[in-house]
Amino acid sequence: MSLKIALAQINLLVGDIKANADKIIQSVIYARDQLDADLVVFPELSVTGYPPEDLLLRPDFVACAAHAVADIAQQTVGIDVVLGFPEQYQGRLYNSAAVLRDGLVLARYRKNALPNYGVFDEKRYFSEDDNTCVFELKGKNIGITICEDIWINGIVARNKQAGAEIVLTLNASPFHAGKIHQREDVVLQQVKALQLPLVYVNQIGGQDELIFDGASFVANQQGEIVFRAEEFKEQISVVEFEGNKPVKGPCAPLYNEISSEYQALVLGIKDYVRKNGFQGAILGLSGGIDSALVLALAVDALGADKVEAVRMPSRYTQDMSLEDAALEAEALGVKCHTIPIEPAVNAFTGLLAELFEGTAKDTTEENIQARCRGVILMAISNKQGKLLLTTGNKSEMSVGYATLYGDMAGGFAPIKDVPKLLVYQLARYRNSLSPVIPERVIIRPPSAELAPDQVDADSLPPYEVLDPILERYVEQDQSAEQIIAAGFRREDVVRAITLVDRNEYKRRQSPPGIRITPRAFGRDRRYPITSGYRGV
C-alpha cells in the first residue's frame, strides 16, 4: 500500500498565530485535494513561527497557540497533519509536535534535544523530554523528531527501536554558508546506518537576522537523497512511499556558496520589508562597492519601483563616484535623487565654531558629514514609510569603521555579516546575471571620501589580510598568538584585534542585519560593552 507524504516548506510570520493557522489550513487543503497526500508535515513551531523568543514567556501567547492547534484539528479531515507548536504540559513548556487526524489530536511528541548555542537559546524557554512518538498510518509506523534531535546520536535510533519504519523531522534550521551540506551529511549518515528513511521539512523565510532556506528533502534507507525542494522558495511537494521506500522524485539543484549567500540576502531584505509593513526601501548611494551591492540586492528583493537611492555629495566626493552611482541607478531602473550635504555641514560647523576654536580638524568633522547624510536619509524614510537600508559590511563593523548616527543610521543592515572580500565576490556574481555594477566600482580602492584623497588602506591592513584575521578572531575565537602563528604579521593582528575589542559599543547600537556566516554579530556573539578583557 502506497503512502503519500507532503512536505509543507512554507514562510510563516512569528507571533501571527491566526495568519499562520490560516496558512496551515490552506496548505492542508492543497496537499489533500491537489496532491492527494495522506499526510502533510509542517516545520518546527509552525503555529507560532520560529523563533518566537520571549513571546514564549507570555501565558496568553502559549494558550493562543494551543487554541489554534485545536482549531486546525477541527478543520483537518481526510488527511493527517503533523505540525509544531509550544505545548504547556504539567507546568512545563515543550517544543512539541502534534499529529492531527479527523478533528482530533491523535498524538504529541516533545522535543528531546534543545539547542543552546550560537543563535539558539531554547533552554531558556523549553523543557526536554525523553519519550518517542510513533503513530500508524496506512499500515506504516511513523516516528517524529524535531530539528536538533537529528544532530544528537541515538534519538533517531530510539525511533527505530520503538518500531518506526519512517521518520519525520520538523525543522527551523537557519541558513549560513555551507549549512545545507552539513544537514544532509548528518541525516544521510544516520539513515544509512539505521536503514531508515527520513523526511526532512525545513522552514523558509527571513526572520529579523535569521534566514531559513528551506531545501527540504527525503532520504532513503541507503542514505541517498531521493527528493529535494528548492532553496529560498515556498513549496509544498509530495513524495510517495511504496512500502517504506520513497519513490525517487525531483531533486532541486543546490546553489553554490556565493549564489546561496546572495539569495539569502535577497530573501532577508524582502521579508523584513514585507513582514514589517514598509512601503519599500531607500539607501544612500555613494558610488562605492558596498552601496552598489545593497542597491542590487534591494532591487532584486523588492523590485525597482519600490527602491529609491540618494546621492549626497560633499566637497570630497569624486566625480567618478557621482558618475558611477548614476550608472548603477540607471542600470537597475531606480529613481535617484541628489542632495548635496555642504549646506548642512556648514551649518553644523558654524554652530560649533566657537566651541571648537583652537582645535585641529579630526574625525569629528568627518563624522559630521556622515551624520548629515544620516539625518537626510532618515527624514526621507519617515516621510515615505520606506525602510532605510544601511550599507556597512562586516569588516567595517568589526573594526568600528562606521559612524554612529551617520552611516550606521537606518532600520536594517543587509550586508552587516558580509566581509569586504565577499562583497566583491557577490558583486561579481550579480554582474554575471546582468551588468549593474560598473567595473570601476569593483576595482577602485575603497574610500569613505570624508577627507582629501582618503582610502581605507591609509589606516587599515589590506582587506586580503584584514578579513582572514577577523574571521579567526571573531568567528573562530582564536587568540592573537594563534593568528600570528598562522603567518600574519604581529602589527596587523594587534591593530585588528584592538579595533574589534574597542568597538563593541558601536555594534550594540547598529541595526539588525542578515546572518550568512556561522558567527554573526548579534545573536551569535554577545560580548559585554563594559569589559576589561583585551585580546592583545
Side-chain angles (χ1 to χ4, degrees):
M1 183 182 298
S2 69
L3 172 68
K4 291 184 177 180
I5 300 178
L7 292 74
Q9 178 175 294
I10 59 175
N11 193 340
L12 301 158
L13 177 55
V14 165
D16 196 342
I17 292 173
K18 183 182 185 307
N20 292 341
D22 288 345
K23 190 164 194 173
I24 288 168
I25 291 167
Q26 292 167 9
S27 301
V28 169
I29 294 170
Y30 176 82
R32 182 192 64 198
D33 296 349
Q34 302 300 317
L35 302 179
D36 195 30
D38 302 297
L39 167 67
V40 57
V41 187
F42 290 90
E44 177 179 14
L45 291 180
S46 43
V47 170
T48 60
Y50 188 95
E53 300 184 276
D54 279 10
L55 289 172
L56 292 166
L57 302 179
R58 298 188 60 88
D60 58 331
F61 181 77
V62 175
C64 185
H67 290 312
V69 173
D71 290 342
I72 295 166
Q74 287 297 313
Q75 300 186 57
T76 298
V77 292
I79 184 173
D80 281 12
V81 175
V82 177
L83 52 73
F85 74 107
E87 179 193 18
Q88 191 74 43
Y89 179 69
Q90 294 185 346
R92 293 185 175 184
L93 189 65
Y94 293 93
N95 183 339
S96 296
V99 183
L100 312 181
R101 177 179 295 171
D102 294 331
L104 301 174
V105 177
L106 178 69
R108 291 179 175 88
Y109 170 74
R110 300 177 183 109
K111 192 171 181 178
N112 286 193
L114 299 177
N116 219 61
Y117 55 85
V119 301
F120 304 106
D121 51 5
E122 289 196 22
K123 290 184 179 180
R124 175 177 171 86
Y125 311 107
F126 297 116
S127 296
E128 290 182 337
D129 195 41
D130 58 4
N131 295 308
T132 57
C133 174
V134 177
F135 68 100
E136 186 271 335
L137 177 62
K138 296 187 76 171
K140 294 299 170 189
N141 292 325
I142 302 173
I144 301 175
T145 59
I146 300 177
C147 208
E148 186 73 9
D149 291 337
I150 64 167
W151 295 80
I152 304 298
N153 287 331
I155 294 178
V156 176
R158 290 209 301 264
N159 276 260
K160 184 169 184 176
Q161 292 165 7
E165 300 165 277
I166 301 169
V167 172
L168 312 176
T169 177
L170 290 65
N171 299 271
S173 181
F175 169 85
H176 65 69
K179 182 69 173 291
I180 178 60
H181 301 290
Q182 294 177 16
R183 292 186 203 126
E184 291 189 355
D185 287 348
V186 166
V187 168
L188 296 183
Q189 288 176 21
Q190 294 199 57
V191 299
K192 188 174 182 180
L194 296 169
Q195 294 286 291
L196 191 64
L198 185 141
V199 177
Y200 183 107
V201 180
N202 193 28
Q203 181 172 308
I204 180 73
Q207 174 58 34
D208 296 337
E209 66 263 49
L210 299 181
I211 303 299
F212 299 93
D213 54 326
S216 303
F217 63 92
V218 176
N220 65 16
Q221 300 95 314
Q222 289 75 44
E224 302 167 329
I225 301 292
V226 297
F227 166 82
R228 184 189 298 116
E230 292 188 67
E231 293 180 272
F232 307 107
K233 289 185 180 179
E234 283 194 281
Q235 185 175 337
I236 302 177
S237 314
V238 68
V239 173
E240 186 170 4
F241 282 73
E242 292 182 351
N244 63 343
K245 297 180 179 179
V247 176
K248 188 170 180 60
C251 286
L254 297 174
Y255 288 100
N256 65 34
E257 185 167 313
I258 300 301
S259 58
S260 68
E261 290 167 329
Y262 191 90
Q263 295 301 322
L265 294 168
V266 167
L267 179 58
I269 295 171
K270 181 178 181 179
D271 271 5
Y272 196 87
V273 169
R274 178 179 65 87
K275 292 181 178 180
N276 286 291
F278 289 100
Q279 300 303 306
I282 66 165
L283 68 149
L285 194 61
S286 69
I289 186 69
D290 296 322
S291 63
L293 176 61
V294 173
L295 181 66
L297 289 163
V299 170
D300 289 346
L302 307 173
D305 61 319
K306 298 291 186 182
V307 180
E308 291 188 40
V310 186
R311 298 187 302 177
M312 294 169 288
S314 74
R315 70 182 68 179
Y316 304 118
T317 302
Q318 299 183 54
D319 290 341
M320 69 170 132
S321 297
L322 290 171
E323 294 165 3
D324 289 339
L327 289 171
E328 293 156 14
E330 182 181 359
L332 288 161
V334 168
K335 184 185 293 185
C336 185
H337 311 278
T338 301
I339 305 176
I341 65 168
E342 204 66 26
V345 173
N346 290 339
F348 276 110
T349 53
L351 286 170
L352 295 165
E354 183 177 348
L355 188 61
F356 286 1
E357 187 175 0
T359 63
K361 287 187 176 181
D362 55 18
T363 56
T364 305
E365 284 74 18
E366 295 182 14
N367 290 341
I368 287 173
Q369 296 172 62
R371 288 172 181 143
C372 287
R373 292 185 172 114
V375 169
I376 291 168
L377 291 170
M378 281 305 306
I380 299 171
S381 172
N382 292 158
K383 187 64 71 174
Q384 296 187 359
K386 291 183 175 178
L387 176 66
L388 174 54
L389 302 176
T390 67
T391 60
N393 61 64
K394 189 172 189 175
S395 304
E396 293 171 348
M397 291 307 304
S398 296
V399 298
Y401 273 49
T403 303
L404 279 173
Y405 329 118
D407 54 302
M408 288 175 64
F412 199 57
I415 61 171
K416 180 181 179 180
D417 195 36
V418 180
K420 188 73 170 187
L421 294 180
L422 181 55
V423 169
Y424 288 104
Q425 292 177 287
L426 291 168
R428 292 284 189 196
Y429 166 73
R430 181 58 183 83
N431 274 358
S432 73
L433 305 179
S434 62
V436 295
I437 301 175
E439 182 67 17
R440 181 168 63 179
V441 174
I442 298 175
I443 64 174
R444 66 183 285 201
S447 169
E449 293 190 329
L450 295 172
D453 302 320
Q454 184 184 58
V455 293
D456 292 5
D458 292 340
S459 52
L460 288 175
Y463 286 109
E464 291 78 7
V465 174
L466 179 63
D467 278 2
I469 293 174
L470 295 175
E471 180 181 0
R472 289 171 179 272
Y473 187 64
V474 172
E475 297 180 21
Q476 301 176 18
D477 289 325
Q478 291 188 9
S479 68
E481 293 306 318
Q482 287 176 305
I483 300 171
I484 293 165
F488 295 91
R489 295 195 313 163
R490 179 174 293 274
E491 52 266 44
D492 290 336
V493 173
V494 169
R495 172 70 172 152
I497 289 178
T498 300
L499 290 171
V500 172
D501 291 346
R502 182 191 298 168
N503 284 284
E504 185 61 37
Y505 76 102
K506 283 189 180 181
R507 291 188 289 272
R508 191 71 68 89
Q509 298 178 70
S510 65
I514 301 166
R515 174 184 184 264
I516 64 166
T517 70
R519 191 93 180 273
F521 293 119
R523 297 170 65 96
D524 277 309
R525 189 180 188 272
R526 310 175 199 180
Y527 273 56
I529 296 172
T530 305
S531 171
Y533 172 80
R534 293 293 178 265
V536 290

